[in-house]
Amino acid sequence: MIHNPEIECMSREDMRKLQSERLVKIVKTCYEKVPFYRRKMDELGVKPSDIKSIDDISKLPFTTKHDLRDEYPFGLQAVPMTDVRRIHASSGTTGKPVVDTYTDNDIANWSEGVARVLAAGNVGKGDVVQVAYGYGLFTGGLGAHDGANKRGAIQLPISAGNSEKQIMLMKDFGTSALCCTPSYALHLAECIEKSDKVSIDELKLRVGFFGAEPWTEGMRKELEEKLRIKAIDIYGLTEMSGPGVGGECEYQNGTHLWEDMFYPEIINPDTLEPVAPGEFGELVFTSLCKEAMPILRYRTRDLTRLIYEPCKCGRTAVRMDRILGRSDDMMIIRGVNVFPSQIETVLTEFPTYTPYYFITVDRKNNEDTFDLDVELREEFYSPNPAKQMPYIKPLYDRIVSLVGIKPNIHILAPGAIERSTGKAKHVNDKRNFKG
Ligand code: DLL
């Protein structure tokens, strides 16, 4: 079901007109109200009057995470604090968090973005939406909550964690839609499998909206089979509000981006030039509607590509391919570029392994080491190393051929790798601390 056909199915020509009008307005606001943008534009010799349509976007300066940290907490704000209704922040692993502030309209637009994704999974009145993203400064919980509200659905604000209770309420309250990270969804699926109180046959679950971290087609298959649902990808980032910058439709063939609110570009991260249409590069967003903290050409560091071919669903909004990873997640190990999600892709090809993994990278005697902890599934696991051997060889060969590096594989018992209730942590790169 399409939440807002007028916008989601708008002709490309009309969409460009709308984007142009909105860009002209937001650039003027940035220049007049945010000293940071006035300075940046002055440095480039660009005036708001130079921006006449969306085609002029490349004249504008980029904004980076570094800029947001420098302007912490409210340096990029374009409205007085009396107009602000909410503050969210994403916890950076180092330094200050990235802050976003919202006016009433910002919260309404954010809910609209999430509602469009929920509608693609047919969520509406009578649906119980279990929001198992964390509530708090993280945007996942309240973002999904407000989106469900906008759809007229029943919100179950349980937040992340307490898995026993999650599955009990899922059964007792008749949850039909689950919102959480894909890694936590998998953990919940495992809990249901093991539970003697709740069986999958008793659940009304039919759809899940998973995001906040990269996940693979293999993981989707696993979640859809285990939870007997349709697993829909939802994308977003704090800097652009939170979840609901885009989401998949019923065809699950790319994430439609809500271009009326967030204008996407793909650039080459080295040259900062746009890539040819359809090529992979770094995703950049300009917020076209944000009032409290408008952002021009934000470099997300997410690596993906845009798909302009029309989608069978009738939405005209451009689609984004799965996120390969963030440029800052990419590890260079013995000269080879490695994304953690490549390991998930390989693991989900094997019926013998769970999708859980943990990578430890170190440097010993001037050489990078790459240790990979994986779990065999219950029915294949034995603590006897000799019995593990037949399973290690095919995994090793596949990683060498797909990823291009030789891992030291360690087989752990099922359940030994830490389960996360939010964004999963997959890597410990000890080289970072050795200078
Ligand atoms: O993760 C917002 C969100 C909450 C999105 C719930 C979806 C669902 P941040 O904490 O600021 O915001 O992290 C944003 O997470 O730049 C991507 O690298 C990654 N990310 C988010 N959604 C996806 C996804 C939220 N569907 C960063 N696939 C983004 C892959 C994702 N990566």
Side-chain angles (χ1 to χ4, degrees):
M1 154 192 324
I2 300 185
H3 177 74
N4 188 342
E6 209 182 306
I7 293 281
E8 292 173 65
C9 306
M10 188 178 247
S11 76
R12 299 294 307 167
E13 204 189 332
D14 286 349
M15 177 58 74
R16 279 194 90 73
K17 259 192 227 149
L18 182 67
Q19 290 168 331
S20 295
E21 276 163 27
R22 290 182 171 175
L23 183 71
V24 167
K25 197 166 153 222
I26 207 119
V27 167
K28 196 163 171 285
T29 306
C30 284
Y31 192 80
E32 286 169 5
K33 306 277 184 201
V34 185
F36 166 84
Y37 281 121
R38 177 183 286 252
R39 199 172 63 243
K40 283 254 195 176
M41 286 174 63
D42 284 346
E43 276 165 20
L44 292 176
V46 192
K47 292 271 172 281
S49 55
D50 295 327
I51 307 301
K52 297 188 174 70
S53 83
I54 200 78
D55 297 328
D56 295 318
I57 197 156
S58 57
K59 296 179 183 161
L60 293 168
F62 288 103
T63 312
T64 63
K65 195 166 241 156
H66 195 79
D67 294 326
L68 301 192
R69 294 221 159 101
D70 282 352
E71 296 296 321
Y72 173 87
F74 305 129
L76 290 182
Q77 203 167 281
V79 298
M81 284 311 267
T82 43
D83 287 351
V84 173
R85 291 292 169 274
R86 189 154 346 134
I87 306 174
H88 279 281
S90 72
S91 53
T93 39
T94 51
K96 305 261 193 216
V98 165
V99 176
D100 198 4
T101 60
Y102 306 70
T103 63
D104 281 334
N105 281 338
D106 290 338
I107 294 175
N109 286 334
W110 179 18
S111 314
E112 161 78 21
V114 178
R116 290 182 197 171
V117 186
L118 296 180
N122 288 328
V123 168
K125 280 203 165 74
D127 272 305
V128 177
V129 180
Q130 185 157 338
V131 182
Y133 285 115
Y135 279 65
L137 289 178
F138 176 54
T139 54
L142 281 166
H145 180 105
D146 289 347
N149 190 38
K150 179 119 191 165
R151 287 293 306 155
I154 303 161
Q155 301 117 63
L156 179 54
I158 187 164
S159 194
N162 206 346
S163 308
E164 283 299 307
K165 194 164 176 188
Q166 297 268 359
I167 62 173
M168 182 182 91
L169 299 191
M170 207 176 262
K171 174 180 146 193
D172 295 348
F173 295 171
T175 297
S176 48
L178 174 65
C179 300
C180 62
T181 60
S183 47
Y184 191 46
L186 188 63
H187 179 51
L188 289 175
E190 281 182 336
C191 291
I192 295 167
E193 267 174 1
K194 288 196 192 122
S195 172
D196 48 11
K197 299 194 190 83
V198 178
S199 119
I200 190 78
D201 298 322
E202 300 170 296
L203 301 183
K204 295 209 179 108
L205 209 56
R206 59 174 182 79
V207 62
F209 300 89
F210 306 127
E213 61 185 6
W215 54 305
T216 57
E217 279 308 310
M219 182 76 139
R220 184 198 321 263
K221 197 163 160 272
E222 179 113 13
L223 287 170
E224 293 196 331
E225 279 171 13
K226 284 208 151 121
L227 290 170
R228 302 188 192 158
I229 56 170
K230 190 158 187 156
I232 292 187
D233 197 355
I234 176 164
Y235 170 80
L237 60 161
T238 313
E239 296 85 333
M240 292 294 130
S241 307
V245 168
E248 282 179 328
C249 64
E250 51 277 29
Y251 290 98
Q252 297 169 299
N253 57 1
T255 295
H256 288 278
L257 294 174
W258 309 134
E259 291 176 89
D260 54 315
M261 298 193 270
F262 313 101
Y263 184 77
E265 299 172 83
I266 302 282
I267 61 161
N268 175 325
D270 299 321
T271 63
L272 305 185
E273 292 297 324
V275 300
E279 268 184 27
F280 278 90
E282 179 179 343
L283 181 62
V284 169
F285 280 115
T286 297
S287 72
L288 296 175
C289 295
K290 272 165 108 249
E291 292 178 338
M293 234 183 231
I295 299 209
L296 303 180
R297 304 192 85 197
Y298 181 66
R299 292 187 56 186
T300 63
R301 306 191 211 179
D302 289 332
L303 302 172
T304 182
R305 70 188 180 107
L306 296 180
I307 306 164
Y308 287 97
E309 286 88 59
C311 181
K312 282 183 279 191
C313 71
R315 291 175 186 80
T316 49
V318 69
R319 282 171 293 151
M320 163 181 97
D321 213 334
R322 263 188 196 279
I323 308 259
L324 286 180
R326 295 169 67 91
S327 50
D328 37 5
D329 283 345
M330 192 186 80
M331 302 169 283
I332 303 182
I333 303 171
R334 295 174 214 144
V336 178
N337 298 351
V338 179
F339 284 103
S341 58
Q342 290 176 297
I343 302 295
E344 185 180 298
T345 302
V346 172
L347 284 172
T348 54
E349 289 170 5
F350 288 86
T352 38
Y353 288 97
T354 74
Y356 293 98
Y357 64 96
F358 194 83
I359 298 168
T360 308
V361 187
D362 205 348
R363 182 165 292 143
K364 290 183 185 142
N365 303 324
N366 290 322
E367 213 196 313
D368 292 335
T369 58
F370 179 71
D371 285 89
L372 176 64
D373 294 347
V374 291
E375 292 176 359
L376 277 172
R377 289 183 194 272
E378 204 87 54
E379 54 275 38
F380 303 100
Y381 178 72
S382 155
N384 178 350
K387 293 204 171 149
Q388 298 171 356
M389 277 317 279
Y391 300 120
I392 295 184
K393 176 85 170 75
L395 179 65
Y396 177 90
D397 289 347
R398 184 73 182 120
I399 291 175
V400 172
S401 80
L402 191 90
V403 188
I405 50 162
K406 297 176 179 170
N408 296 318
I409 296 177
H410 310 280
I411 304 269
L412 306 185
I417 294 173
E418 196 184 334
R419 287 359 185 197
S420 129
T421 59
K423 295 181 193 250
K425 185 173 180 325
H426 292 297
V427 180
N428 180 8
D429 192 339
K430 295 181 171 172
R431 299 172 303 178
N432 293 344
F433 304 103
K434 292 188 175 168

